[in-house]
Every structure is written in C-alpha cells, then in structure tokens.
C-alpha cells in the first residue's frame, strides 16, 4: 500500500488494528522504500509516496483523490475494532451492521485515504438464503 507518510501509517495501523511491525527500509531522504507489518498474522507491505517516479506506481490515494480498492479485514469483534480505529484517527464510512450474508460488517477510511471493510462472522448462511435476500436464486436451486 502506498501512503503519504508511511512511517505515520505504520504507527496508525499499530494503534488501529494491532499491527506488528516487521521491517523498515528508509531511503536516503528518509521516506520508506519498504515497510512491512502484519495485521492478524497477514503481511502488509507499505511504501511512501514517490510522485517523482510514476513508473513505480507509488501514488497514494490522497494524490489520486480516492481509491477503488477496499482492504477487507476479518476480526473477532468488529465493533471493538472499529471503535479502536476511530480512536486512532479513522473515519466511519459505514457503521457496523448485521448483514444478510452472515457477517457484522462496517467500513472505515484511514487517515491515509485507504478504505477498510471490517467484519466479524456471526452466523452461517446458505447460498439459497443469500440469493433470496437479494431477490435471486442460487445456482442449481429448484425453480
């Protein structure tokens, strides 16, 4: 993920999502050429924005005025995680809600412009129930 201020992003992710820092490689000017954290055991790579090198795709969501990407994070308690992220500086884009597919789900925007979907699985739902909830029928279901 490209961040305008990757070192600050690492600190935010530690506070917001309990990230564990693994590695930092600062460049000669102090910007991070590479950073790695884990969130829930999953590795996440970070780099600072380098607008002077567009060929490296090192452009942050802030420079792009948004991002088409949403990072999906499953957590044990979506409400607690969202509250922790908001306390660390995230904005709620969608409050946590029980969804028809069986997750409690909410969305956040972090201070670096990245979109996060945060969810906790609360119940198992069959494909037929999901399709019925959206007004369709599941593949292979009797009509």
């Amino acid at each position: 993920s490209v961040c305008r201020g990757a070192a600050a992003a690492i600190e935010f992710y530690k506070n917001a999502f309990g990230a564990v820092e693994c590695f930092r490689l600062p460049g000669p000017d102090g910007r991070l050429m590479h950073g790695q954290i884990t969130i829930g055991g999953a590795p996440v790579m970070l780099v600072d924005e380098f607008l002077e090198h567009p060929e490296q795709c090192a452009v942050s969501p802030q420079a792009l005025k948004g991002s088409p990407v949403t990072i999906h994070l499953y957590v044990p308690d979506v409400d607690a995680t969202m509250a922790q992220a908001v306390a660390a500086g995230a904005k709620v884009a969608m409050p946590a809600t029980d969804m028809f597919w069986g997750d409690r789900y909410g969305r956040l925007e972090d201070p670096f412009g990245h979109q996060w979907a945060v969810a906790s699985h609360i119940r198992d739902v069959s494909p037929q129930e999901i399709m019925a909830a959206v007004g369709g029928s599941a593949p292979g279901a009797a009509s």
Side-chain angles (χ1 to χ4, degrees):
S1 121
V2 179
C3 298
R4 185 176 290 169
I10 288 172
E11 296 309 311
F12 169 80
Y13 297 135
K14 286 178 183 178
N15 293 324
F17 303 125
V20 175
E21 183 174 346
C22 304
F23 181 77
R24 286 188 198 208
L25 177 62
D29 65 0
R31 289 182 291 178
L32 289 185
M33 296 173 57
H34 177 75
Q36 182 177 339
I37 59 176
T38 59
I39 299 175
V44 177
M45 310 295 185
L46 296 101
V47 65
D48 258 307
E49 180 174 67
F50 287 87
L51 294 176
E52 68 275 22
H53 296 289
E55 73 282 0
Q56 294 180 2
C57 300
V59 180
S60 74
Q62 292 161 318
L64 296 170
K65 297 184 176 31
S67 173
V69 175
T70 300
I71 303 162
H72 193 92
L73 182 63
Y74 271 103
V75 297
D77 183 340
V78 68
D79 295 286
T81 298
M82 288 186 69
Q84 182 175 326
V86 168
K91 294 178 190 168
V92 174
M94 178 186 147
T97 305
D98 292 350
M99 303 305 284
F100 65 88
W101 61 81
D103 289 349
R104 185 157 176 78
Y105 173 94
R107 288 191 2 261
L108 300 163
E109 181 174 331
D110 74 26
F112 307 92
H114 295 282
Q115 304 296 311
W116 293 81
V118 185
S120 296
H121 188 69
I122 55 174
R123 65 185 179 95
D124 292 335
V125 181
S126 72
Q128 290 77 15
E129 290 173 289
I130 294 172
M131 291 302 294
V134 296
S137 62
S143 325

